[in-house]
Amino acid sequence: MCSRKNESKRGALLFNKEIVEISVIIPAYNEEYRIEKVLLETSTYLASQNYTHEIIVVNDGSTDKTVDVVSNLQKSLQSLKLISFEKNSGKGAAVKKGMLSSLGKYRLFMDADGSTHISEIEKLLPLVKKEYDIAFGSRAIISNKTTINAQAHRKIIGRIFNFFVNLIVIPDIKDSQCGFKLFK
Protein backbone atom coordinates (compact mmCIF):
# COMPACT_ATOMS: atom_id res chain seq x y z
CA MET A 1 0.00 0.00 0.00
CA CYS A 2 1.18 3.50 -0.65
CA SER A 3 0.19 6.60 1.20
CA ARG A 4 0.48 10.19 0.13
CA LYS A 5 0.21 13.06 2.55
CA ASN A 6 -0.39 16.31 0.78
CA GLU A 7 -2.77 18.42 2.81
CA SER A 8 -2.78 21.23 0.24
CA LYS A 9 -4.15 19.03 -2.53
CA ARG A 10 -7.90 18.85 -1.99
CA GLY A 11 -9.52 15.51 -2.71
CA ALA A 12 -6.22 13.67 -3.10
CA LEU A 13 -6.42 9.91 -3.12
CA LEU A 14 -4.83 8.28 -0.13
CA PHE A 15 -4.43 4.51 -0.32
CA ASN A 16 -5.33 3.76 3.28
CA LYS A 17 -8.58 2.17 4.43
CA GLU A 18 -8.99 4.72 7.19
CA ILE A 19 -8.53 7.66 4.84
CA VAL A 20 -10.46 6.95 1.62
CA GLU A 21 -13.90 8.37 2.32
CA ILE A 22 -15.63 7.71 -1.01
CA SER A 23 -15.00 5.06 -3.64
CA VAL A 24 -16.83 5.48 -6.93
CA ILE A 25 -17.17 2.29 -8.94
CA ILE A 26 -18.06 2.67 -12.61
CA PRO A 27 -18.70 -0.49 -14.62
CA ALA A 28 -17.94 0.17 -18.28
CA TYR A 29 -18.61 -1.74 -21.46
CA ASN A 30 -17.82 0.03 -24.76
CA GLU A 31 -18.03 3.52 -23.28
CA GLU A 32 -15.18 5.20 -25.18
CA TYR A 33 -17.33 8.16 -26.23
CA ARG A 34 -18.87 8.91 -22.82
CA ILE A 35 -16.44 7.76 -20.13
CA GLU A 36 -13.96 10.64 -20.30
CA LYS A 37 -16.58 13.31 -19.56
CA VAL A 38 -18.04 11.29 -16.68
CA LEU A 39 -14.61 10.64 -15.15
CA LEU A 40 -13.52 14.27 -15.40
CA GLU A 41 -16.80 15.52 -13.89
CA THR A 42 -16.63 12.93 -11.11
CA SER A 43 -13.03 13.70 -10.21
CA THR A 44 -13.56 17.46 -10.31
CA TYR A 45 -16.67 17.27 -8.17
CA LEU A 46 -15.19 15.00 -5.51
CA ALA A 47 -12.05 17.13 -5.27
CA SER A 48 -14.12 20.33 -4.99
CA GLN A 49 -16.03 18.83 -2.05
CA ASN A 50 -12.73 17.90 -0.41
CA TYR A 51 -13.57 14.19 -0.25
CA THR A 52 -10.68 11.78 -0.15
CA HIS A 53 -11.62 9.41 -2.90
CA GLU A 54 -10.82 6.83 -5.49
CA ILE A 55 -12.54 6.24 -8.80
CA ILE A 56 -12.49 2.66 -10.06
CA VAL A 57 -13.48 1.88 -13.62
CA VAL A 58 -14.15 -1.79 -14.17
CA ASN A 59 -13.81 -2.46 -17.87
CA ASP A 60 -16.12 -5.34 -18.66
CA GLY A 61 -14.36 -6.72 -21.73
CA SER A 62 -14.87 -3.67 -23.94
CA THR A 63 -14.04 -4.13 -27.61
CA ASP A 64 -13.69 -0.40 -28.31
CA LYS A 65 -11.14 2.11 -26.95
CA THR A 66 -12.60 2.40 -23.42
CA VAL A 67 -9.39 1.04 -21.86
CA ASP A 68 -7.24 3.50 -23.84
CA VAL A 69 -9.37 6.47 -22.78
CA VAL A 70 -9.24 5.49 -19.11
CA SER A 71 -5.51 4.68 -19.25
CA ASN A 72 -4.77 8.10 -20.74
CA LEU A 73 -6.80 9.81 -18.01
CA GLN A 74 -4.87 7.94 -15.32
CA LYS A 75 -1.87 10.13 -16.17
CA SER A 76 -3.70 13.23 -14.92
CA LEU A 77 -6.19 11.78 -12.42
CA GLN A 78 -4.27 10.28 -9.52
CA SER A 79 -7.44 8.89 -7.97
CA LEU A 80 -8.34 6.82 -11.05
CA LYS A 81 -7.88 3.05 -11.10
CA LEU A 82 -8.65 0.64 -13.91
CA ILE A 83 -9.60 -3.01 -13.54
CA SER A 84 -10.22 -4.99 -16.72
CA PHE A 85 -11.96 -8.24 -17.54
CA GLU A 86 -10.67 -9.87 -20.71
CA LYS A 87 -14.18 -10.88 -21.74
CA ASN A 88 -17.58 -9.44 -21.00
CA SER A 89 -18.84 -10.85 -17.69
CA GLY A 90 -21.89 -8.64 -17.19
CA LYS A 91 -22.61 -5.51 -15.20
CA GLY A 92 -23.18 -7.42 -11.96
CA ALA A 93 -19.74 -9.02 -12.10
CA ALA A 94 -18.12 -5.66 -12.86
CA VAL A 95 -19.90 -3.95 -9.97
CA LYS A 96 -18.97 -6.78 -7.59
CA LYS A 97 -15.30 -6.68 -8.61
CA GLY A 98 -15.18 -2.90 -8.17
CA MET A 99 -16.89 -3.00 -4.78
CA LEU A 100 -14.58 -5.74 -3.49
CA SER A 101 -11.53 -3.85 -4.78
CA SER A 102 -12.48 -0.50 -3.29
CA LEU A 103 -11.21 1.01 -0.06
CA GLY A 104 -13.77 3.71 0.68
CA LYS A 105 -15.87 4.00 3.79
CA TYR A 106 -18.74 4.83 1.42
CA ARG A 107 -18.94 3.07 -1.94
CA LEU A 108 -20.99 4.48 -4.78
CA PHE A 109 -21.65 2.62 -7.96
CA MET A 110 -22.74 4.75 -10.88
CA ASP A 111 -23.34 4.10 -14.54
CA ALA A 112 -20.74 5.18 -17.08
CA ASP A 113 -23.28 6.99 -19.23
CA GLY A 114 -23.53 9.96 -16.86
CA SER A 115 -27.30 9.59 -16.52
CA THR A 116 -26.99 10.62 -12.86
CA HIS A 117 -24.50 13.37 -12.05
CA ILE A 118 -22.05 12.71 -9.24
CA SER A 119 -23.39 15.71 -7.30
CA GLU A 120 -26.50 13.63 -6.55
CA ILE A 121 -24.38 11.80 -3.99
CA GLU A 122 -25.18 14.69 -1.63
CA LYS A 123 -28.77 13.41 -1.43
CA LEU A 124 -27.63 9.90 -0.48
CA LEU A 125 -24.69 10.56 1.86
CA PRO A 126 -26.74 11.87 4.80
CA LEU A 127 -28.86 8.72 4.66
CA VAL A 128 -25.95 6.28 4.89
CA LYS A 129 -24.07 8.42 7.39
CA LYS A 130 -26.98 8.39 9.82
CA GLU A 131 -29.18 5.33 9.61
CA TYR A 132 -29.07 3.27 6.42
CA ASP A 133 -26.52 0.86 4.97
CA ILE A 134 -27.64 1.46 1.37
CA ALA A 135 -29.28 4.40 -0.40
CA PHE A 136 -30.65 4.12 -3.95
CA GLY A 137 -30.95 6.92 -6.44
CA SER A 138 -34.34 6.99 -8.11
CA ARG A 139 -35.81 8.26 -11.33
CA ALA A 140 -39.27 7.22 -10.15
CA ILE A 141 -39.72 9.66 -7.29
CA ILE A 142 -41.22 12.76 -8.81
CA SER A 143 -40.59 16.17 -7.31
CA ASN A 144 -40.02 19.72 -8.51
CA LYS A 145 -36.27 18.97 -8.41
CA THR A 146 -36.54 15.85 -10.57
CA THR A 147 -35.83 15.82 -14.28
CA ILE A 148 -35.92 12.58 -16.20
CA ASN A 149 -34.27 12.69 -19.60
CA ALA A 150 -35.45 9.51 -21.27
CA GLN A 151 -37.44 8.60 -24.32
CA ALA A 152 -41.15 7.99 -23.70
CA HIS A 153 -41.04 4.27 -24.52
CA ARG A 154 -38.12 3.76 -22.08
CA LYS A 155 -40.03 5.54 -19.32
CA ILE A 156 -43.07 3.31 -19.91
CA ILE A 157 -41.02 0.10 -20.02
CA GLY A 158 -39.15 1.16 -16.87
CA ARG A 159 -42.36 1.89 -14.98
CA ILE A 160 -43.87 -1.46 -15.96
CA PHE A 161 -40.70 -3.29 -14.92
CA ASN A 162 -40.56 -1.41 -11.59
CA PHE A 163 -44.22 -2.23 -10.96
CA PHE A 164 -43.51 -5.97 -11.21
CA VAL A 165 -40.30 -5.75 -9.17
CA ASN A 166 -42.24 -3.92 -6.44
CA LEU A 167 -45.11 -6.40 -6.64
CA ILE A 168 -43.02 -9.58 -6.60
CA VAL A 169 -39.58 -8.89 -5.14
CA ILE A 170 -38.85 -5.56 -3.43
CA PRO A 171 -41.98 -3.67 -2.39
CA ASP A 172 -40.33 -0.54 -0.94
CA ILE A 173 -37.82 0.40 -3.63
CA LYS A 174 -39.24 2.64 -6.34
CA ASP A 175 -36.43 2.32 -8.89
CA SER A 176 -34.29 -0.78 -8.30
CA GLN A 177 -32.58 -0.45 -11.68
CA CYS A 178 -31.22 3.07 -11.23
CA GLY A 179 -27.45 2.93 -11.71
CA PHE A 180 -26.65 5.15 -8.72
CA LYS A 181 -26.40 3.35 -5.38
CA LEU A 182 -24.40 4.25 -2.27
CA PHE A 183 -23.30 1.64 0.26
CA LYS A 184 -21.81 1.98 3.72
Side-chain angles (χ1 to χ4, degrees):
M1 294 278 171
C2 67
S3 176
R4 179 194 350 258
K5 291 186 179 181
N6 182 350
E7 300 302 322
S8 65
K9 184 159 183 139
R10 294 173 53 177
L13 170 66
L14 304 174
F15 292 103
N16 181 323
K17 284 188 180 186
E18 285 72 48
I19 299 175
V20 177
E21 186 174 9
I22 297 175
S23 295
V24 177
I25 294 86
I26 303 175
Y29 178 72
N30 291 343
E31 296 288 352
E32 74 175 288
Y33 297 111
R34 300 190 285 199
I35 193 84
E36 182 174 13
K37 179 181 183 223
V38 170
L39 292 174
L40 291 171
E41 286 176 352
T42 300
S43 178
T44 300
Y45 179 80
L46 293 171
S48 74
Q49 298 302 307
N50 208 23
Y51 293 126
T52 55
H53 66 277
E54 64 182 350
I55 302 168
I56 301 171
V57 173
V58 182
N59 171 52
D60 190 19
S62 294
T63 57
D64 66 356
K65 296 189 184 321
T66 298
V67 170
D68 295 337
V69 172
V70 175
S71 294
N72 286 334
L73 281 174
Q74 283 183 295
K75 297 170 189 170
S76 59
L77 301 178
Q78 296 173 358
S79 63
L80 182 59
K81 294 179 182 179
L82 174 63
I83 299 170
S84 278
F85 292 154
E86 284 188 36
K87 63 178 187 159
N88 184 270
S89 299
K91 183 177 181 178
V95 170
K96 180 179 179 181
K97 180 66 173 175
M99 287 288 187
L100 294 174
S101 301
S102 64
L103 302 173
K105 180 177 180 181
Y106 304 106
R107 298 171 187 198
L108 174 75
F109 112 70
M110 63 183 278
D111 286 340
D113 65 3
S115 60
T116 305
H117 192 271
I118 184 63
S119 62
E120 296 295 315
I121 194 172
E122 301 306 328
K123 294 176 182 173
L124 304 182
L125 267 173
L127 300 170
V128 296
K129 285 184 175 182
K130 290 186 179 172
E131 61 183 297
Y132 298 102
D133 292 329
I134 304 169
F136 284 35
S138 178
R139 300 159 296 193
I141 298 173
I142 306 301
S143 76
N144 60 353
K145 295 180 184 178
T146 303
T147 303
I148 300 172
N149 296 321
Q151 296 172 341
H153 73 279
R154 291 193 55 130
K155 287 182 189 179
I156 293 167
I157 291 168
R159 286 185 182 146
I160 293 169
F161 179 81
N162 280 324
F163 171 78
F164 285 109
V165 168
N166 288 167
L167 185 67
I168 299 167
V169 185
I170 312 170
D172 297 329
I173 297 178
K174 300 295 181 212
D175 187 5
S176 65
Q177 299 307 299
C178 181
F180 199 80
K181 296 176 177 80
L182 183 65
F183 299 78
K184 188 184 303 187

